[in-house]
Amino acid sequence: MPGTESAFPIDLKQYRKLTLDPSKPQLTAEQRSTLLHNIQLLRDALVLFTATGAARGVSGHTGGAYDTIPEVCILLSLFEASEKYLPIVFDEAGHRVATQYLLAALDGHIPPEHLLHYREANSKLPGHPELGLTPGVKFSSGRLGHMWPMVNGVAMANKEKVVFCLGSDGSQQEGNDAEAARLAVAQNLNVKLLIDDNDVTIAGHPSQYQKGYDVSKTLEGHGLKVYTVQGEDIDALWAAVAAVVTYDGPAAVVAKRLMAPGVADIEGSTHGHDVIPVKAAIKYLTARGYPTSTSEDILNNIKPSSVPYLYVGSTKEVGANRVVFGEAVNLVLDKLSKEEAAEKVMVIDSDLEGSTGLKVIHQKHPEVFVPSGIMERGNFSTAAGFGFDANKFGVFSTFSAFLEMVISEVTMARLNNCNVLSHFSHSGVDEMADNTCHFGVNSFFADNGLSDVQSWLYFPADPLQMVAVIQRVFFERGLRFVFSTRSKVPYILKEDGTKFFGDGYKFVPGKDETIVEGKAGYVVSFGEMLYRSWDAVLRCRQEGLDVGLINKPTLNLVDEQTLRKIGSSPFVLVVESLNQKTGLGSKMGTWLIERQLTPKYGYMGTTKEGCGGLSEQIPHQNLDPQSIIMKIKQLSN
């Protein structure tokens, strides 16, 4: 049968169990043959099922997991041989989740056929491993570079065991790992790292954008015993693993290899970091001897899915606010000479330029652009330091989930009166196939100053408003935070069908915007939830319920006039995709009560872990228009 109804065509039962003894660092011919067989079997399987992510349009990651299969096969052979090893393949690169799903299938926790649902909504196979969600998954990886410190604690709790953690040259750029290395050495922990050093991250090659960075030398400098080998040389790799296992204390194997070795279309390229394209997967599997029809029947019969819905109040045309941010910055920089721009502005990337809109700045205004590594804390502070001069402005960008990592640095920048414009993309939950650990739902953490200072949190509703916001606030002083989503958004329309933020619109910081007046009560929303709320409001109005809608693009400032207007109406409903515990809805009720305004009050936000997939995340959180309509009707009764 075609598509996901197919039997898994690569027989994982052909995996041959093997035992390896680290006191014997040289492989026998039989051991070598078995290892190579297992490596190829698992790599083939991994290419096939990760390619289903490309087929269904949910992306994914092939190369990193493909790379580390030799290390994984060696670890399984050690686990098979002795109980002195903690039998968990910890991994500090969560995007290599395919490894964990493959292990779950090998162990019988999920049928191999289920792998064909990789990253599909409600499949329990999301873009990062989540403990308690997927049968057989033994840990949650969290965000990149966050695992090693936790593994140190695991080693402390299991002193009689050898504890392993897979690493990468990308994850090792995070400051957490430097701290973990120092502790592991100081406490002589029995932690062994196996690091894939493939010189590829999302935005480029560390050897080019991070000159001087050397994983082996860095770890040696911290005091670890380090063995550097060619990762595709199975004899050398096993000898190095045997050496670190028998070494008394923390040690690492740094395995150098090209990204996705042997996969013709993605080998050594940044494309290998992402999911393998369907055509490339079919080409690879055919070259490996599998019938072309087998992979074609599966991959060509898996199609992207969506939640079909025809919205009213917005255009069919959509735009990516996260990309428009960079285009809007360019509009500002275009007015300056190259010399003036370089003197006045610095834009620093954290290996996400293609995802957060900075790529267009890099291309058009390289004089202001600094390519940097996966070092959000340091990069934010660098942007702040550039903006320490009252007439200079730092620009920083990363995913909204990673805002939680830079809170202390935000405070430092605020104490030093620095000028930083921060763009946090991938806010909320919409189209977040990477799932819960990548939800950007705690944006209000950025507003952590005292009441005598002001930070500005802006969440534009569509591309036109994004441009208007950046044009207005780019050269304002202090800390400014701009949010956007991974998903594209339509353009908001007025009731007469013209674009709300089109010709004549001027953005005013701190001012709430009335989309439509209402006598029955008001919905307050912003960002990607505004067009959904507008749809719900219009449908209620069509039924005779005179509901109003307010757009609140400045999240953390009270517009006294608007607050008094909505607070004097029968009800107020806040609709957002931020964390219901920490978002706008958790604050607006207090603002109302402080002013003796007592309408019926409700607020909707993100309340539970994700379901994977893309457009399915919003209805999973009960934030779709029909859910908003139900809440409006509850409050209006």
Side-chain angles (χ1 to χ4, degrees):
M1 297 179 72
T4 56
E5 299 302 314
S6 303
F8 197 73
I10 299 172
D11 186 5
L12 295 183
K13 292 180 181 178
Q14 295 301 312
Y15 179 86
R16 304 171 189 166
K17 289 189 176 182
L18 175 68
T19 60
L20 291 175
D21 180 353
S23 68
K24 300 175 182 177
Q26 289 186 326
L27 294 171
T28 66
E30 183 179 357
Q31 288 172 331
R32 183 184 305 106
S33 174
T34 300
L35 268 178
L36 293 175
H37 165 83
N38 288 342
I39 291 166
Q40 197 61 66
L41 176 73
L42 299 190
R43 280 181 163 175
D44 293 349
L46 192 141
V47 165
L48 175 63
F49 80 79
T50 57
T52 67
R56 62 175 52 92
V58 296
S59 190
H61 299 276
T62 300
Y66 181 97
D67 281 7
T68 52
I69 289 295
E71 290 90 321
V72 169
C73 287
I74 286 173
L75 292 184
L76 294 180
S77 299
L78 288 172
F79 298 165
E80 191 70 26
S82 173
E83 293 184 357
K84 71 178 182 180
Y85 310 105
L86 191 71
I88 300 176
V89 184
F90 288 113
D91 193 339
E92 61 176 352
H95 56 269
R96 294 192 299 220
V97 66
T99 302
Q100 306 305 321
Y101 297 152
L102 196 51
L103 293 175
L106 278 176
D107 289 341
H109 294 288
I110 59 176
E113 290 74 22
H114 192 60
L115 296 171
L116 299 176
H117 296 271
Y118 175 66
R119 289 171 71 102
E120 182 182 307
N122 301 302
S123 67
K124 299 187 177 181
L125 300 177
H128 284 62
E130 296 185 13
L131 182 65
L133 177 67
T134 312
V137 166
K138 299 177 180 179
F139 65 95
S140 296
S141 67
R143 295 148 189 173
L144 189 68
H146 283 55
M147 198 76 234
W148 186 2
M150 195 183 109
V151 167
N152 279 349
V154 172
M156 288 178 168
N158 295 271
K159 290 183 172 64
E160 74 288 356
K161 302 283 189 181
V162 178
V163 182
F164 293 97
C165 183
L166 297 179
S168 69
D169 54 341
S171 57
Q172 285 290 311
Q173 294 177 29
E174 287 284 9
N176 280 14
D177 278 355
E179 298 178 15
R182 289 194 292 271
L183 179 65
V185 171
Q187 298 297 320
N188 200 43
L189 300 180
N190 208 3
V191 171
K192 316 299 178 183
L193 276 83
L194 307 181
I195 297 173
D196 178 32
D197 189 0
N198 58 27
D199 195 33
V200 167
T201 56
I202 293 175
H205 304 279
S207 62
Q208 297 174 12
Y209 68 71
Q210 195 94 294
K211 292 185 184 299
Y213 170 58
D214 186 298
V215 176
S216 298
K217 289 181 179 178
T218 299
L219 294 175
E220 287 172 345
H222 285 304
L224 275 80
K225 182 68 174 177
V226 179
Y227 296 85
T228 303
V229 298
Q230 293 301 314
E232 295 304 291
D233 182 341
I234 194 64
D235 291 278
L237 183 63
W238 163 241
V241 173
V244 298
V245 168
T246 55
Y247 178 78
D248 181 18
V253 175
V254 176
K256 291 186 171 292
R257 57 165 64 88
L258 293 174
M259 167 70 85
V263 186
D265 291 358
I266 60 175
E267 181 182 78
S269 77
T270 54
H271 299 295
H273 176 86
D274 207 336
V275 69
I276 186 170
V278 167
K279 288 184 179 179
I282 293 172
K283 177 180 174 181
Y284 167 86
L285 292 166
T286 301
R288 285 281 309 125
Y290 297 95
T292 302
S293 59
T294 301
S295 50
E296 285 184 342
D297 283 349
I298 293 173
L299 297 176
N300 289 339
N301 284 290
I302 295 175
K303 304 297 180 184
S305 63
S306 63
V307 179
Y309 189 86
L310 182 61
Y311 288 92
V312 294
S314 58
T315 62
K316 291 183 179 180
E317 176 191 4
V318 294
N321 267 8
R322 60 188 173 106
V323 176
V324 173
F325 169 83
E327 295 169 350
V329 170
N330 278 346
L331 291 175
V332 174
L333 297 176
D334 289 346
K335 299 173 184 177
L336 309 176
S337 68
K338 297 291 185 183
E339 294 74 20
E340 187 181 6
E343 176 70 19
K344 198 170 186 177
V345 177
M346 187 270 285
V347 179
I348 190 166
D349 176 47
S350 297
D351 192 49
L352 289 172
E353 62 176 275
S355 299
T356 66
L358 301 191
K359 187 174 183 178
V360 293
I361 303 174
H362 190 180
Q363 292 170 336
K364 193 172 186 181
H365 288 281
E367 71 276 6
V368 306
F369 188 82
V370 178
S372 188
I374 307 163
M375 307 176 297
E376 295 82 5
R377 302 168 185 85
N379 289 343
F380 178 89
S381 289
T382 299
F386 187 89
F388 181 59
D389 184 311
N391 296 311
K392 294 180 186 289
F393 300 84
V395 178
F396 169 83
S397 188
T398 189
F399 291 163
S400 287
F402 306 161
L403 183 153
E404 297 170 20
M405 297 160 56
V406 302
I407 298 304
S408 183
E409 287 73 18
V410 167
T411 297
M412 185 70 173
R414 188 180 290 112
L415 292 172
N416 282 286
N417 301 318
C418 297
N419 301 321
V420 186
L421 175 65
S422 296
H423 173 219
F424 290 97
S425 71
H426 293 57
S427 297
V429 302
D430 198 10
E431 297 198 357
M432 295 296 289
D434 281 337
N435 221 44
T436 310
C437 73
H438 270 229
F439 282 1
V441 294
N442 289 311
S443 303
F444 273 84
F445 284 13
D447 188 28
N448 65 340
L450 300 175
S451 296
D452 60 349
V453 296
Q454 186 58 60
S455 301
W456 307 78
L457 275 58
Y458 303 118
F459 206 142
D462 72 13
L464 289 174
Q465 188 169 44
M466 173 64 84
V467 172
V469 168
I470 299 305
Q471 296 269 7
R472 175 66 174 79
V473 310
F474 189 88
F475 284 124
E476 293 206 341
R477 289 177 169 80
L479 302 184
R480 290 136 298 137
F481 302 87
V482 178
F483 301 93
S484 67
T485 54
R486 181 185 188 275
S487 59
K488 294 179 179 181
V489 291
Y491 294 81
I492 302 298
L493 297 177
K494 298 178 183 177
E495 288 188 283
D496 64 6
T498 60
K499 291 180 178 177
F500 194 95
F501 304 110
D503 293 341
Y505 171 76
K506 297 290 183 184
F507 173 71
V508 179
K511 180 176 175 57
D512 296 347
E513 299 163 345
T514 300
I515 305 298
V516 68
E517 299 282 5
K519 296 178 181 178
Y522 280 92
V523 175
V524 179
S525 193
F526 56 86
E528 88 290 12
M529 292 309 299
L530 186 69
Y531 77 88
R532 294 179 168 97
S533 296
W534 191 206
D535 176 274
V537 165
L538 285 170
R539 294 181 191 278
C540 286
R541 292 171 70 87
Q542 289 170 2
E543 295 179 11
L545 189 57
D546 189 13
V547 184
L549 177 63
I550 303 295
N551 179 36
K552 190 168 182 59
T554 307
L555 302 183
N556 61 326
L557 290 188
V558 175
D559 180 336
E560 295 289 351
Q561 183 178 359
T562 300
L563 191 69
R564 186 154 298 278
K565 176 174 70 175
I566 65 175
S568 301
S569 76
F571 75 83
V572 173
L573 171 63
V574 176
V575 179
E576 61 187 322
S577 64
L578 301 184
N579 186 347
Q580 194 178 56
K581 287 185 175 181
T582 65
L584 176 64
S586 70
K587 299 177 180 296
M588 185 164 277
T590 300
W591 296 343
L592 290 165
I593 292 172
E594 287 174 340
R595 291 157 180 81
Q596 288 77 53
L597 299 170
T598 56
K600 288 183 180 179
Y601 184 69
Y603 57 108
M604 303 171 70
T606 293
T607 59
K608 54 189 175 182
E609 294 188 356
C611 65
L614 295 174
S615 57
E616 297 87 355
Q617 295 279 18
I618 289 290
H620 177 71
Q621 299 292 342
N622 298 312
L623 293 173
D624 56 288
Q626 292 305 312
S627 296
I628 299 170
I629 289 170
M630 286 179 61
K631 190 68 174 178
I632 289 172
K633 290 182 175 179
Q634 288 174 7
L635 289 171
S636 64
N637 288 334

